[in-house]
Amino acid sequence: RLFGAGEAALEALGSAIWPSNRLDYERAVAGVQAALTAETFATAWAEGRRLALAQAVTLALDQLETPRVALPHQSEAVSRQNDRSRR
């Protein structure tokens, strides 16, 4: 949902993902797509696009408090950092 919310926010601002961030963004989206069915991904993306900015921020902050699983493209260091933050 956050990717959809981010896309909608960027569109509303007439902006786009910076070219220097594009590869990381595409990898992150691909990791989420790989973890979900196509239908679940499309539904979550559409739900995210409909979120108000305040709702998207709340969702993002809630995700910081939830244990995370490293996506395949994340480095070992990021995985260790996530493990430490759960303690």
Side-chain angles (χ1 to χ4, degrees), residues 45-70:
W45 192 281
E47 288 173 357
R49 287 189 56 84
R50 291 189 299 269
L51 291 175
L53 181 58
Q55 291 173 306
V57 169
T58 298
L59 179 62
L61 292 173
D62 288 347
Q63 294 301 308
L64 291 175
E65 297 173 3
T66 303
R68 294 172 284 179
V69 176

Side-chain angles (χ1 to χ4, degrees), residues 11-82:
E11 286 175 5
L13 294 169
S15 189
I17 294 175
W18 291 357
S20 61
N21 295 334
R22 170 70 53 194
L23 183 58
D24 287 338
Y25 170 80
E26 289 175 355
R27 285 180 180 160
V29 171
V32 173
Q33 283 179 309
L36 302 173
T37 65
E39 181 180 350
T40 300
F41 179 83
T43 298
W45 192 281
E47 288 173 357
R49 287 189 56 84
R50 291 189 299 269
L51 291 175
L53 181 58
Q55 291 173 306
V57 169
T58 298
L59 179 62
L61 292 173
D62 288 347
Q63 294 301 308
L64 291 175
E65 297 173 3
T66 303
R68 294 172 284 179
V69 176
L71 295 174
H73 70 278
Q74 290 180 310
S75 70
E76 182 67 26
V78 171
S79 296
R80 285 192 306 273
Q81 179 183 3
N82 288 344

